[in-house]
Amino acid sequence: MIPFNDFHIMHKELKNEMGEMFQQVFDKNWFIQGEQEETFNKKFAQYCGAKYCIGVGNGLEALRMILQAYDIGEGDEVIVPSNTFIATALAVTYVGAKLVFVEPDIETYTINPDLIEEKITERTKAIIAVHLYGQTCDMDGILEIAKKHNLKVIEDAAQAHGAEYKGKKAGNLGDAAGFSFYPGKNLGALGDAGAITTNDEELAKKVRAIGNYGSEKKYNHIYKGTNSRLDEMQAGFLNVKLGHLDKWNERRRKIADRYLNEIKNPNIVLPTVKEENVPVWHIFAIRSERREELIEYLSENNIGTMIHYPIPIHLQKAYEDLGHKQGDYPIAEKISNEQISLPMFYGLKDEEVDHIISCLNAWK
């Protein structure tokens, strides 16, 4: 069986490095806000091309803390794409702001800038640009609208570690960015972890304090903060993995290039890559109107798949209080009804890619 995802080869190659890092952190007996986190913050900021990086507990907390630090809350509105993982929406909900959904571009699955302006009101404070599946949004269009209306642009870069837009990396394209290092990400910890990147010194200082119980100095609390910090063990593991990220992303691109160039089936819709983008293919998403048949066929041929995401946010029970109904966001619903994620990971062998492509082309 070809799995949808598999860490075995990646982690086998890293076993000695990771073991040495574990021993180093363990022996030092300093597990929160130490040398490894400081090192990672510097390295990851540099990697993204940003001035500052603040390690936090997870990607959801990263987005929520950015919103809080920008004083976005009750009575404010935040624009988010109608198709994304629910964490994007939850971050807005947790600060008390109102969600305003905007449909995606059906070809790239990322938010469509042409549809944003009509949703802006005097209460709009920010746009969350989700670099979905590892491809960056049309940032020029988003930034132009944001500048015109004096809005913050927050990148949800949870799936875009190393992705580029016009030569600049995700995490350095808006006012601030939230990253997740959930184990399945292109850059994954061995547990939950996240980070915020920004060029805004004031924001960096504020989110660092918010994540530390609202404190810049022990027992002196200036914000109603939370406990959301990148611990030393996860920071150490991420320091090891960061040195390999470009190699892993390059392998993903080679697999994606083969999928894009060699899958030839009129019953399958392939993703579109904009010329200015260099994706990192966290997810390789195809679409089919006969999704269940295709998933069953691939399973019979020992190919694992997943669906990202089968129910759009506006139709989730958690958000039934918003009063949305089926048909309100037809593009998001179409993607949710047709999307299939193919195997995409470092360690996927060429002969396995051959088999996946051959099976997809043979499907009638």
Side-chain angles (χ1 to χ4, degrees), residues 4 132-135 159 186 252 271 280-286 306 308-309 339-342 344:
F4 168 71
L132 199 67
Y133 303 153
Q135 179 167 204
Q159 300 182 359
N186 292 35
R252 286 173 177 267
V280 291
W281 299 108
H282 174 62
I283 299 294
F284 190 93
I286 61 173
M306 282 195 70
H308 295 85
Y309 303 95
Q339 193 271 358
I340 308 171
S341 302
L342 298 182
M344 172 59 72

mmCIF file of all heavy atoms in Angstrom, residues 4 132-135 159 186 252 271 280-286 306 308-309 339-342 344:
data_model
loop_
_atom_site.group_PDB
_atom_site.id
_atom_site.type_symbol
_atom_site.label_atom_id
_atom_site.label_comp_id
_atom_site.label_asym_id
_atom_site.label_seq_id
_atom_site.Cartn_x
_atom_site.Cartn_y
_atom_site.Cartn_z
ATOM 1 N N PHE A 4 -0.822 7.725 2.115
ATOM 2 C CA PHE A 4 -0.982 9.133 1.780
ATOM 3 C C PHE A 4 0.223 9.936 2.264
ATOM 4 O O PHE A 4 0.696 10.844 1.594
ATOM 5 C CB PHE A 4 -2.275 9.682 2.405
ATOM 6 C CG PHE A 4 -2.356 11.170 2.355
ATOM 7 C CD1 PHE A 4 -2.563 11.821 1.150
ATOM 8 C CD2 PHE A 4 -2.197 11.941 3.508
ATOM 9 C CE1 PHE A 4 -2.609 13.208 1.087
ATOM 10 C CE2 PHE A 4 -2.249 13.316 3.451
ATOM 11 C CZ PHE A 4 -2.455 13.951 2.242
ATOM 12 N N LEU A 132 -3.034 28.112 0.876
ATOM 13 C CA LEU A 132 -3.584 26.766 0.978
ATOM 14 C C LEU A 132 -2.806 25.748 0.139
ATOM 15 O O LEU A 132 -2.435 26.026 -1.010
ATOM 16 C CB LEU A 132 -5.048 26.779 0.550
ATOM 17 C CG LEU A 132 -5.893 25.605 1.013
ATOM 18 C CD1 LEU A 132 -6.071 25.632 2.531
ATOM 19 C CD2 LEU A 132 -7.249 25.602 0.323
ATOM 20 N N TYR A 133 -2.596 24.591 0.726
ATOM 21 C CA TYR A 133 -1.933 23.442 0.091
ATOM 22 C C TYR A 133 -0.463 23.702 -0.247
ATOM 23 O O TYR A 133 0.177 22.903 -0.908
ATOM 24 C CB TYR A 133 -2.665 22.997 -1.175
ATOM 25 C CG TYR A 133 -4.117 22.634 -0.993
ATOM 26 C CD1 TYR A 133 -5.019 22.754 -2.052
ATOM 27 C CD2 TYR A 133 -4.613 22.163 0.228
ATOM 28 C CE1 TYR A 133 -6.359 22.418 -1.902
ATOM 29 C CE2 TYR A 133 -5.950 21.830 0.379
ATOM 30 C CZ TYR A 133 -6.821 21.964 -0.688
ATOM 31 O OH TYR A 133 -8.148 21.627 -0.539
ATOM 32 N N GLY A 134 0.069 24.859 0.175
ATOM 33 C CA GLY A 134 1.480 25.149 -0.082
ATOM 34 C C GLY A 134 1.723 26.099 -1.231
ATOM 35 O O GLY A 134 2.863 26.293 -1.650
ATOM 36 N N GLN A 135 0.655 26.723 -1.765
ATOM 37 C CA GLN A 135 0.804 27.743 -2.805
ATOM 38 C C GLN A 135 0.358 29.095 -2.246
ATOM 39 O O GLN A 135 -0.712 29.199 -1.646
ATOM 40 C CB GLN A 135 -0.020 27.410 -4.050
ATOM 41 C CG GLN A 135 0.112 28.476 -5.136
ATOM 42 C CD GLN A 135 -0.417 28.062 -6.499
ATOM 43 O OE1 GLN A 135 0.006 28.601 -7.511
ATOM 44 N NE2 GLN A 135 -1.336 27.118 -6.557
ATOM 45 N N GLN A 159 0.638 25.842 5.874
ATOM 46 C CA GLN A 159 0.941 24.806 4.890
ATOM 47 C C GLN A 159 1.994 25.270 3.882
ATOM 48 O O GLN A 159 2.159 24.646 2.835
ATOM 49 C CB GLN A 159 -0.343 24.417 4.145
ATOM 50 C CG GLN A 159 -1.430 23.875 5.050
ATOM 51 C CD GLN A 159 -2.679 23.458 4.291
ATOM 52 O OE1 GLN A 159 -2.776 23.586 3.068
ATOM 53 N NE2 GLN A 159 -3.662 22.939 5.015
ATOM 54 N N ASN A 186 5.264 20.343 6.175
ATOM 55 C CA ASN A 186 6.565 20.231 5.493
ATOM 56 C C ASN A 186 7.713 20.405 6.472
ATOM 57 O O ASN A 186 8.740 19.743 6.364
ATOM 58 C CB ASN A 186 6.671 21.276 4.383
ATOM 59 C CG ASN A 186 5.715 21.013 3.233
ATOM 60 O OD1 ASN A 186 4.599 20.537 3.445
ATOM 61 N ND2 ASN A 186 6.138 21.314 2.021
ATOM 62 N N ARG A 252 9.323 17.252 -3.143
ATOM 63 C CA ARG A 252 7.889 17.431 -3.341
ATOM 64 C C ARG A 252 7.610 18.098 -4.694
ATOM 65 O O ARG A 252 6.665 17.721 -5.398
ATOM 66 C CB ARG A 252 7.296 18.289 -2.216
ATOM 67 C CG ARG A 252 7.173 17.571 -0.874
ATOM 68 C CD ARG A 252 6.749 18.536 0.229
ATOM 69 N NE ARG A 252 6.546 17.869 1.499
ATOM 70 C CZ ARG A 252 5.373 17.389 1.946
ATOM 71 N NH1 ARG A 252 4.291 17.538 1.206
ATOM 72 N NH2 ARG A 252 5.283 16.792 3.104
ATOM 73 N N PRO A 271 -4.448 20.890 -10.213
ATOM 74 C CA PRO A 271 -4.300 22.260 -9.712
ATOM 75 C C PRO A 271 -3.534 23.134 -10.703
ATOM 76 O O PRO A 271 -2.771 22.626 -11.534
ATOM 77 C CB PRO A 271 -3.502 22.082 -8.418
ATOM 78 C CG PRO A 271 -2.760 20.807 -8.599
ATOM 79 C CD PRO A 271 -3.652 19.930 -9.433
ATOM 80 N N VAL A 280 5.195 24.674 -2.360
ATOM 81 C CA VAL A 280 5.937 23.619 -1.665
ATOM 82 C C VAL A 280 5.097 22.355 -1.528
ATOM 83 O O VAL A 280 5.534 21.393 -0.899
ATOM 84 C CB VAL A 280 6.423 24.087 -0.273
ATOM 85 C CG1 VAL A 280 7.502 25.141 -0.428
ATOM 86 C CG2 VAL A 280 5.278 24.588 0.588
ATOM 87 N N TRP A 281 3.894 22.354 -2.086
ATOM 88 C CA TRP A 281 3.069 21.157 -2.224
ATOM 89 C C TRP A 281 2.896 20.396 -0.915
ATOM 90 O O TRP A 281 3.159 19.199 -0.843
ATOM 91 C CB TRP A 281 3.634 20.248 -3.314
ATOM 92 C CG TRP A 281 3.663 20.909 -4.646
ATOM 93 C CD1 TRP A 281 4.785 21.349 -5.320
ATOM 94 C CD2 TRP A 281 2.554 21.258 -5.478
ATOM 95 N NE1 TRP A 281 4.423 21.947 -6.505
ATOM 96 C CE2 TRP A 281 3.063 21.906 -6.637
ATOM 97 C CE3 TRP A 281 1.163 21.091 -5.351
ATOM 98 C CZ2 TRP A 281 2.246 22.375 -7.647
ATOM 99 C CZ3 TRP A 281 0.350 21.556 -6.366
ATOM 100 C CH2 TRP A 281 0.890 22.191 -7.494
ATOM 101 N N HIS A 282 2.452 21.115 0.110
ATOM 102 C CA HIS A 282 2.056 20.412 1.330
ATOM 103 C C HIS A 282 0.971 19.391 0.997
ATOM 104 O O HIS A 282 0.968 18.272 1.523
ATOM 105 C CB HIS A 282 1.547 21.411 2.371
ATOM 106 C CG HIS A 282 1.000 20.758 3.597
ATOM 107 N ND1 HIS A 282 1.779 19.967 4.414
ATOM 108 C CD2 HIS A 282 -0.254 20.748 4.146
ATOM 109 C CE1 HIS A 282 1.037 19.509 5.406
ATOM 110 N NE2 HIS A 282 -0.196 19.960 5.258
ATOM 111 N N ILE A 283 0.059 19.782 0.137
ATOM 112 C CA ILE A 283 -1.010 18.914 -0.368
ATOM 113 C C ILE A 283 -1.005 19.005 -1.893
ATOM 114 O O ILE A 283 -0.901 20.100 -2.443
ATOM 115 C CB ILE A 283 -2.391 19.379 0.144
ATOM 116 C CG1 ILE A 283 -2.466 19.338 1.672
ATOM 117 C CG2 ILE A 283 -3.514 18.540 -0.480
ATOM 118 C CD1 ILE A 283 -2.382 17.973 2.275
ATOM 119 N N PHE A 284 -1.115 17.859 -2.562
ATOM 120 C CA PHE A 284 -1.351 17.886 -4.006
ATOM 121 C C PHE A 284 -2.812 17.502 -4.206
ATOM 122 O O PHE A 284 -3.203 16.341 -4.070
ATOM 123 C CB PHE A 284 -0.434 16.939 -4.766
ATOM 124 C CG PHE A 284 -0.507 17.155 -6.262
ATOM 125 C CD1 PHE A 284 0.397 18.005 -6.889
ATOM 126 C CD2 PHE A 284 -1.497 16.547 -7.027
ATOM 127 C CE1 PHE A 284 0.306 18.247 -8.260
ATOM 128 C CE2 PHE A 284 -1.588 16.779 -8.392
ATOM 129 C CZ PHE A 284 -0.681 17.627 -9.010
ATOM 130 N N ALA A 285 -3.622 18.504 -4.528
ATOM 131 C CA ALA A 285 -5.079 18.335 -4.591
ATOM 132 C C ALA A 285 -5.551 18.240 -6.030
ATOM 133 O O ALA A 285 -5.310 19.140 -6.834
ATOM 134 C CB ALA A 285 -5.766 19.503 -3.895
ATOM 135 N N ILE A 286 -6.220 17.146 -6.334
ATOM 136 C CA ILE A 286 -6.917 17.024 -7.615
ATOM 137 C C ILE A 286 -8.416 17.093 -7.333
ATOM 138 O O ILE A 286 -8.845 17.038 -6.186
ATOM 139 C CB ILE A 286 -6.568 15.710 -8.345
ATOM 140 C CG1 ILE A 286 -6.989 14.491 -7.504
ATOM 141 C CG2 ILE A 286 -5.071 15.672 -8.648
ATOM 142 C CD1 ILE A 286 -6.827 13.160 -8.230
ATOM 143 N N MET A 306 -6.539 11.266 0.843
ATOM 144 C CA MET A 306 -7.302 11.962 1.873
ATOM 145 C C MET A 306 -8.164 13.030 1.211
ATOM 146 O O MET A 306 -7.966 13.338 0.032
ATOM 147 C CB MET A 306 -6.382 12.611 2.914
ATOM 148 C CG MET A 306 -5.826 11.622 3.927
ATOM 149 S SD MET A 306 -5.103 12.441 5.367
ATOM 150 C CE MET A 306 -6.586 13.090 6.159
ATOM 151 N N HIS A 308 -9.253 17.017 1.768
ATOM 152 C CA HIS A 308 -9.038 18.295 2.468
ATOM 153 C C HIS A 308 -9.929 19.353 1.798
ATOM 154 O O HIS A 308 -9.551 19.863 0.756
ATOM 155 C CB HIS A 308 -7.585 18.730 2.355
ATOM 156 C CG HIS A 308 -6.597 17.848 3.029
ATOM 157 N ND1 HIS A 308 -6.075 16.724 2.421
ATOM 158 C CD2 HIS A 308 -6.017 17.916 4.251
ATOM 159 C CE1 HIS A 308 -5.206 16.149 3.237
ATOM 160 N NE2 HIS A 308 -5.162 16.847 4.355
ATOM 161 N N TYR A 309 -11.020 19.715 2.281
ATOM 162 C CA TYR A 309 -11.704 19.348 3.522
ATOM 163 C C TYR A 309 -13.124 19.008 3.138
ATOM 164 O O TYR A 309 -13.720 19.727 2.326
ATOM 165 C CB TYR A 309 -11.628 20.498 4.522
ATOM 166 C CG TYR A 309 -10.172 20.890 4.791
ATOM 167 C CD1 TYR A 309 -9.576 21.930 4.085
ATOM 168 C CD2 TYR A 309 -9.407 20.168 5.699
ATOM 169 C CE1 TYR A 309 -8.239 22.253 4.300
ATOM 170 C CE2 TYR A 309 -8.074 20.496 5.930
ATOM 171 C CZ TYR A 309 -7.499 21.525 5.221
ATOM 172 O OH TYR A 309 -6.174 21.824 5.416
ATOM 173 N N GLN A 339 -12.656 17.462 -4.029
ATOM 174 C CA GLN A 339 -11.216 17.436 -3.765
ATOM 175 C C GLN A 339 -10.733 16.072 -3.272
ATOM 176 O O GLN A 339 -11.363 15.424 -2.452
ATOM 177 C CB GLN A 339 -10.882 18.515 -2.723
ATOM 178 C CG GLN A 339 -9.413 18.835 -2.572
ATOM 179 C CD GLN A 339 -8.699 17.970 -1.548
ATOM 180 O OE1 GLN A 339 -9.300 17.139 -0.903
ATOM 181 N NE2 GLN A 339 -7.412 18.172 -1.411
ATOM 182 N N ILE A 340 -9.564 15.648 -3.798
ATOM 183 C CA ILE A 340 -8.854 14.446 -3.339
ATOM 184 C C ILE A 340 -7.373 14.797 -3.247
ATOM 185 O O ILE A 340 -6.810 15.395 -4.167
ATOM 186 C CB ILE A 340 -9.004 13.261 -4.314
ATOM 187 C CG1 ILE A 340 -10.469 12.985 -4.650
ATOM 188 C CG2 ILE A 340 -8.340 12.008 -3.749
ATOM 189 C CD1 ILE A 340 -10.650 11.965 -5.761
ATOM 190 N N SER A 341 -6.735 14.415 -2.142
ATOM 191 C CA SER A 341 -5.299 14.650 -1.964
ATOM 192 C C SER A 341 -4.535 13.372 -2.274
ATOM 193 O O SER A 341 -4.800 12.318 -1.689
ATOM 194 C CB SER A 341 -5.011 15.101 -0.534
ATOM 195 O OG SER A 341 -5.729 16.278 -0.232
ATOM 196 N N LEU A 342 -3.573 13.485 -3.192
ATOM 197 C CA LEU A 342 -2.742 12.343 -3.582
ATOM 198 C C LEU A 342 -1.533 12.214 -2.659
ATOM 199 O O LEU A 342 -1.144 13.173 -1.992
ATOM 200 C CB LEU A 342 -2.251 12.526 -5.021
ATOM 201 C CG LEU A 342 -3.298 12.588 -6.123
ATOM 202 C CD1 LEU A 342 -2.610 12.731 -7.484
ATOM 203 C CD2 LEU A 342 -4.206 11.357 -6.108
ATOM 204 N N MET A 344 1.933 12.576 -1.193
ATOM 205 C CA MET A 344 2.919 13.627 -1.424
ATOM 206 C C MET A 344 3.785 13.738 -0.176
ATOM 207 O O MET A 344 3.361 14.291 0.840
ATOM 208 C CB MET A 344 2.221 14.959 -1.720
ATOM 209 C CG MET A 344 3.145 16.168 -1.785
ATOM 210 S SD MET A 344 4.428 16.039 -3.048
ATOM 211 C CE MET A 344 3.477 16.254 -4.545
#
